[in-house]
Amino acid sequence: MFKVGSLRKRQFIGGIAGVIIGFSVFYFLTLESAGEYVSIGPMNTGHQELSCVACHADARGNLMQQIQSNISYAVGSREEGVDFGTEDVTVDNCLQCHDRPNDRHPNYRFSEPRFKEAVKKIDARTCITCHSEHHEERVSVTSIDYCINCHQDLVVENDPLDISHKDLITKEEWFTCIQCHDFHGNHKYEVPTKLKDTIPMKVIQAYFAGGEDPFGTDKKYIGLSQSEWLEQLNNK
Amino acid sequence: MKNITKFLNIAYIIAIGSISLISCGGVPEENKASASTENVFSVAEVLEMVSKENDVTRTLYTKAIVGKGKTQGMKFDEDWRKDDVEAGPLPALFLRGVATSIKKSPVPLGLYLGSDFPVNAANKFVGKQAVLFEKIKEDQEPQFFYDEEQELHTAMFADVAGADACVTCHNNHKQSPKTDWKLGDVMGATTWQYPKDSLSYKETVAVLNSYAKGTVDIYMEYLDEIKAFEKSEKPVIGDKWPVEGNYLPTAEVFLDSVKKLSSYETMKHLVTMN
């Protein structure tokens, strides 16, 4: 019979152990309950209850098919590659829960050519520009001076503000509109008419970090919860 | 001998790996099916078709709903979605509602409205759109270009003041930068975008259907808004139009009228395939 050397025996046992450990790790990490270990960071405000699959849907095909398709794409025998593991998260994922008819700044509008320059400064075509996920906050954009990219020529007739918008713009005494105006327009909120009543920047920053909502809690539309979202998908 | 065995082992592993990879098949390519169907319309033709449908829809809404509705006491407001405002959407916002619905559909069509004297300064044309809009104002002919950055085929069509309501509302609006509009003026332009240079029959019909669905969606939103009216008198919704009294057509009746008015031109295009 064959004579098995001790080195080969150790290699064999090591190989088997490696396969078992590999499969166990793979199995554990793909469990729904292992989400917190796989996640790249804690969820943003309002998203804490979501499970991974709410945004990260399984990609089409099985693992082997995905490998084969991407190799084919790499060697040029296929027109397009495929997502590996899970599908890329796009603005459509966000809109499945957050789409509302009254959005003042819907993403799609910024696809128009006339916003080309503004989009170079702040890409409002996608939600993650301002709401990057897994940062345990509400708004992740670093500076809130983005309004000026489109509203630099603003003219307000019968201006209700005690110091007119025109004066503020001429004297360059404005930095953002957010201290008075809610970007998405989803709050039932009385806009202040006196400059002294505007929301202090510190409060805005705390709100962006996940703190109390200075525009109030009375909202016109509430984003869907995971169960509502699933129900909506089932009804389609 | 040892080297040959080693080589054969590696070859076996590669062969088994390759066979198992190939035998499972790849993920089917989504664009294969559509690529095999014949593209019969250029993107310019399709955008002209849908733009004509838009002209008819907007004119019908502006004249028969907004224009006649106002004479019956119905209100239309730019803030129509606000809770304390009991009104319907102005024609420009009606178009924006259609555009929003299209964007939610799987059809990759973009629709936008702009002007050189818009009520909202953020809707003012700049860059290439501003240059092409000057040409449109001269001859009212559509302008086509390929937006290289976005990789989208783009068309602009004149938006002409076709009803008194267009002129009076814009001339009287507090924020309007121009107050001497008159009937027949090119008040702005619609911009349409699509990613492909030619479309199959099926894709063309999908574009037209997504526009029609957008019309129904925004009109339904208006009818839903009416249901929530508390202070204003609610028009009767059925098969009658505001010209007959305090009535509004249902979404089906409205869409039927659009189809009757626009279908001949569109059908001519759809059946005349060379």
Side-chain angles (χ1 to χ4, degrees), chain B residues 29-259:
Chain B
E29 285 194 78
E30 278 177 346
N31 54 359
K32 277 277 164 69
S34 59
S36 64
T37 57
E38 198 188 346
N39 287 343
V40 289
F41 296 111
S42 71
V43 66
E45 282 177 302
V46 176
L47 295 183
E48 277 195 82
M49 264 189 262
V50 71
S51 161
K52 276 184 185 154
E53 297 259 335
N54 176 56
D55 285 345
V56 169
T57 310
R58 290 242 300 155
T59 305
L60 186 69
Y61 182 75
T62 309
K63 284 186 175 173
I65 304 287
V66 179
K68 297 293 176 194
K70 276 186 169 179
T71 62
Q72 301 294 342
M74 295 178 204
K75 291 192 178 75
F76 298 88
D77 197 297
E78 63 195 303
D79 292 322
W80 71 284
R81 287 190 196 276
K82 283 189 176 172
D83 295 331
D84 54 345
V85 178
E86 297 192 340
L90 287 168
L93 300 174
F94 186 85
L95 183 126
R96 190 181 287 175
V98 177
T100 307
S101 171
I102 293 172
K103 209 65 197 172
K104 287 178 198 167
S105 79
V107 176
L109 177 71
L111 165 61
Y112 313 96
L113 183 64
S115 172
D116 54 351
F117 291 105
V119 167
N120 182 344
N123 290 332
K124 189 173 179 171
F125 286 136
V126 293
K128 189 153 192 167
Q129 280 180 299
V131 175
L132 292 179
F133 184 59
E134 287 305 314
K135 286 187 189 171
I136 291 173
K137 281 202 295 188
E138 283 168 22
D139 55 15
Q140 298 196 12
E141 287 297 313
Q143 295 291 326
F144 301 92
F145 67 99
Y146 182 66
D147 184 349
E148 286 178 6
E149 277 182 51
Q150 295 191 84
E151 298 182 345
L152 291 170
H153 296 273
T154 308
M156 290 174 72
F157 297 92
D159 194 40
V160 180
D164 288 328
C166 313
V167 173
T168 48
C169 280
H170 276 260
N171 283 345
N172 297 336
H173 196 286
K174 288 172 192 168
Q175 278 178 243
S176 179
K178 182 173 159 72
T179 52
D180 57 352
W181 294 108
K182 49 190 188 305
L183 274 175
D185 279 354
V186 179
M187 295 181 78
T190 52
T191 302
W192 302 76
Q193 295 188 306
Y194 197 82
K196 292 171 67 179
D197 62 354
S198 57
L199 286 81
S200 67
Y201 182 83
K202 201 175 163 186
E203 287 166 331
T204 304
V205 172
V207 164
L208 294 169
N209 281 346
S210 76
Y211 180 82
K213 186 182 176 298
T215 308
V216 172
D217 283 350
I218 182 67
Y219 191 73
M220 289 292 285
E221 276 186 51
Y222 171 36
L223 297 187
D224 284 345
E225 192 77 12
I226 290 171
K227 279 184 201 158
F229 281 3
E230 286 174 2
K231 296 169 201 159
S232 317
E233 196 187 342
K234 295 180 188 179
V236 178
I237 296 157
D239 55 0
K240 288 185 178 172
W241 292 72
V243 68
E244 296 169 78
N246 195 24
Y247 301 108
L248 272 178
T250 60
E252 292 78 23
V253 173
F254 181 76
L255 189 65
D256 270 355
S257 298
V258 172
K259 281 182 177 168

